[in-house]
Amino acid sequence: LFLLGWIIVTLIPVLNLTGVGRNVFTERYLYIPSLGLCLLVPALVDRYLGAFRKPAMFILAGLAGLLSFLTIERAAVWRDNQTLYMATLAVSPDASPMHLNLGIHYFRQRNLPAARREFLAVLETDSKVVVRSAQDRYNALLGLSSGSSAEGKLEEAWKYAEEARHLMPHLGDAYRTLGGLMG
């Protein structure tokens, strides 16, 4: 009962899908609840499968070995930010936050064409989703403004920054960007 309670109690915070952010389908939210499951299965085998305890333990050990291998293989995705973002986009191509993060990553590397492509992908994916994110759109517009500015396209940079300012006038980043462009 304790282990079953462990699973349920540690799942409760992540079942509030609005509380964990926009990227709700992520395996990291299941790490702690899965510990309860990993302890519950052997406890149930030990308690209720007395005659089959030895074969069941071999099967569970084999399953644990397979799952360990898959975990190690999956860990490669977390090697660096770019790998994580690209792996997430491979299975979730409309994940605006991943496009935004990848755009920022490319911008920091001074890969401006790739950054522009990702920032534009944010605007495109945001226009297709049911629940739009003004914050993602705002940040993508500022990313496009920064990229255009770095390429010397100041009028285009101004246009993107103005659009961001109109979208979320209570935030200061667009004003800072516009001030930098004026300078």
Side-chain angles (χ1 to χ4, degrees):
L1 286 175
F2 172 77
L3 294 172
L4 187 59
W6 175 279
I7 296 167
I8 293 169
V9 168
T10 57
L11 270 176
I12 289 172
V14 298
L15 291 178
N16 176 10
L17 297 180
T18 60
V20 294
R22 291 167 286 164
N23 193 8
V24 294
F25 304 109
T26 319
E27 71 264 15
R28 69 178 180 267
Y29 299 132
L30 300 177
Y31 288 159
I32 295 173
S34 69
L35 175 63
L37 182 65
C38 290
L39 295 173
L40 179 63
V41 170
L44 290 175
V45 167
D46 184 52
R47 184 166 195 151
Y48 297 110
L49 298 178
F52 302 104
R53 183 177 295 154
K54 202 169 218 174
M57 287 301 169
F58 283 119
I59 291 170
L60 288 175
L63 185 59
L66 174 66
L67 293 175
S68 297
F69 173 75
L70 293 174
T71 300
I72 291 168
E73 188 177 290
R74 179 71 178 154
V77 169
W78 296 83
R79 179 180 60 235
D80 58 38
N81 288 341
Q82 183 174 347
T83 304
L84 175 63
Y85 303 150
M86 294 185 76
T88 303
L89 287 171
V91 295
S92 231
D94 290 339
S96 292
M98 293 301 111
H99 283 293
L100 185 61
N101 290 341
L102 192 55
I104 293 167
H105 175 76
Y106 286 142
F107 182 81
R108 288 179 179 155
Q109 289 182 329
R110 300 319 248 177
N111 185 348
L112 299 179
R116 173 181 291 277
R117 185 175 58 248
E118 295 303 324
F119 292 137
L120 289 172
V122 172
L123 300 179
E124 181 183 331
T125 57
D126 187 59
S127 67
K128 294 190 291 188
V129 296
V130 176
V131 179
R132 293 186 174 177
S133 170
Q135 186 70 50
D136 284 348
R137 186 170 187 75
Y138 175 83
N139 289 330
L141 289 167
L142 290 179
L144 287 166
S145 178
S146 297
S148 296
S149 176
E151 293 173 334
K153 301 174 185 173
L154 299 182
E155 288 180 23
E156 186 176 293
W158 184 271
K159 179 186 75 125
Y160 286 127
E162 268 296 315
E163 190 176 341
R165 184 183 65 81
H166 285 293
L167 182 65
M168 298 186 88
H170 59 284
L171 297 180
D173 293 327
Y175 294 101
R176 186 172 34 253
T177 301
L178 290 167
L181 290 169
M182 288 176 118

